[in-house]
Amino acid sequence: MGAWMIRAGRGGAYAADWLARGVIGIGWDFGGADIAAMGREQIREAYASAHPSESKQRVAANVGQVYRFAHSMAQGSTVVMYDPAERLYHMGEVSGPCVAADEPDAVTYTRHVRWGRTAPRDALAPESRNSLGGIQTIFSVSDAVMADLESASGGRPAYEAATPEDGAASDEESLAATYDNGIELIKDRVGQLDWEDMERLVAGLLRAMGYCARVMPKGPDGGRDVVASPDALGLESPRIVAEVKHRKGAMGAPAVRSFIGGLRAGDRGLYVSTGGFTKEARYEADRANVPVRLLDLDAFVRHYVEVYDRADDDTRSILPLTRIWWPA
């Protein structure tokens, strides 16, 4: 049956929803047609008819992806999905046929999955990370990579070889996948920083956003690792008070509640945790009576990429990036 990797939308946008609902999905639109009952040539004709302006190469690539989802991913086969917010690979078993989505929007066809084990990205060998960063939406996972995922999850490798599939990804798909892979590599690099550089990086992010930001001296600061304001004297509002936690574990509700309790009138809270946050912690932030924003590693890196061109030399020296040009 083999094992398959599927992307949960750009930046893993659908990962949490798919886990909660026990599904996977694709977004290619065939007007609700039963693609599970169609052969590859029928799928190609339907797709080409709906997208007459697309090149033969793009049609072939997308039809290949659709065929894999509807036919090659047999019931009982293993599926792997990455959640960038948690930095976890989720493994499950395909448990249902390809069907049209009940409320088609971004996802038009779904399949049921019984989700089970998880494997942290940081526990995988670099070769496995690179392999799982393929540019296609759906692609086969080798025995060696599955064995690494199983080892990282504490399970045992017991998978048949996946049949290789041909077909290049479209330019749009390749660009999105390349961007997401780059985000993951940047997150790997952030994980190697020490806590002092992480605080400096948060201050640099805020400066690149137009604030005057500084790292506070160490001591009983009540969670004030970085303070930023629109003016250099720190007299104008809104003043942002940031706490930075650079560790593996997720921050819980008590930590966020304590941080919120230490904010003064007129403060805006920013809590950066590279280990993420529990659901209860996010609830505490949502119900706070002052504006509070939580940034996990994925959100922090995406903000950093967006403002990198405006970052100062000191900030860039902590986490330098290289721009990759792509044909328009």
Side-chain angles (χ1 to χ4, degrees), residues 84-96:
E86 301 294 333
R87 305 208 80 199
L88 287 176
Y89 288 95
H90 293 268
M91 291 172 280
E93 180 180 297
V94 178
S95 58

Side-chain angles (χ1 to χ4, degrees), residues 68-117:
R68 291 179 195 182
F69 186 83
H71 295 280
S72 300
M73 299 175 71
Q75 293 190 49
S77 61
T78 300
V79 64
V80 181
M81 177 190 69
Y82 183 61
D83 183 353
E86 301 294 333
R87 305 208 80 199
L88 287 176
Y89 288 95
H90 293 268
M91 291 172 280
E93 180 180 297
V94 178
S95 58
C98 170
V99 296
D102 293 334
E103 298 180 0
D105 186 11
V107 175
T108 54
Y109 291 90
T110 62
R111 300 191 68 162
H112 282 291
V113 172
R114 287 191 290 268
W115 296 110
R117 300 174 303 281

Side-chain angles (χ1 to χ4, degrees), residues 5-36:
M5 176 77 183
I6 184 168
R7 296 187 180 280
R10 183 164 187 175
Y14 309 121
D17 178 61
W18 289 2
L19 289 171
R21 295 168 53 203
V23 299
I24 53 176
I26 56 173
W28 286 285
D29 188 8
F30 288 83
D34 184 8
I35 59 175

Side-chain angles (χ1 to χ4, degrees), residues 36-271:
M38 299 164 63
R40 184 187 292 267
E41 185 59 25
Q42 290 175 299
I43 293 174
R44 189 199 67 77
E45 290 176 358
Y47 185 90
S49 176
H51 304 84
S53 63
E54 292 191 3
S55 67
K56 291 183 178 180
Q57 181 180 12
R58 184 180 177 88
V59 170
N62 289 342
V63 167
Q65 298 286 286
V66 172
Y67 185 84
R68 291 179 195 182
F69 186 83
H71 295 280
S72 300
M73 299 175 71
Q75 293 190 49
S77 61
T78 300
V79 64
V80 181
M81 177 190 69
Y82 183 61
D83 183 353
E86 301 294 333
R87 305 208 80 199
L88 287 176
Y89 288 95
H90 293 268
M91 291 172 280
E93 180 180 297
V94 178
S95 58
C98 170
V99 296
D102 293 334
E103 298 180 0
D105 186 11
V107 175
T108 54
Y109 291 90
T110 62
R111 300 191 68 162
H112 282 291
V113 172
R114 287 191 290 268
W115 296 110
R117 300 174 303 281
T118 61
R121 175 180 166 85
D122 291 342
L124 298 179
E127 295 80 5
S128 297
R129 298 182 197 176
N130 292 336
S131 177
L132 292 170
I135 62 176
Q136 295 176 313
T137 298
I138 302 170
F139 55 91
S140 60
V141 181
S142 70
D143 284 351
V145 173
M146 275 312 311
D148 198 12
L149 284 165
E150 286 288 348
S151 176
S153 71
R156 60 184 181 83
Y159 294 88
E160 300 175 16
T163 303
E165 296 275 349
D166 295 328
S170 67
D171 286 345
E172 181 180 355
E173 183 184 15
S174 299
L175 177 58
T178 300
Y179 178 85
D180 288 340
N181 292 340
I183 291 292
E184 294 306 316
L185 293 174
I186 297 169
K187 286 157 66 174
D188 291 341
R189 189 66 59 87
V190 172
Q192 298 170 8
L193 299 176
D194 60 33
W195 63 269
E196 290 179 317
D197 279 342
M198 189 64 207
E199 289 183 358
R200 291 169 55 209
L201 196 62
V202 171
L205 173 72
L206 291 169
R207 286 196 298 272
M209 290 179 169
Y211 292 93
C212 295
R214 65 187 187 280
V215 176
M216 302 300 290
K218 296 302 126 190
D221 57 6
R224 295 170 179 267
D225 295 321
V226 177
V227 173
S229 66
D231 69 307
L233 295 176
L235 300 176
E236 296 182 11
S237 295
R239 184 175 65 167
I240 298 175
V241 175
E243 181 161 358
V244 183
K245 296 299 183 184
H246 189 39
R247 58 184 66 169
K248 294 289 185 182
M251 301 307 298
V256 173
R257 192 181 308 122
S258 176
F259 170 66
I260 294 171
L263 296 176
R264 303 168 186 168
D267 285 347
R268 303 291 187 265
L270 174 64
Y271 204 125

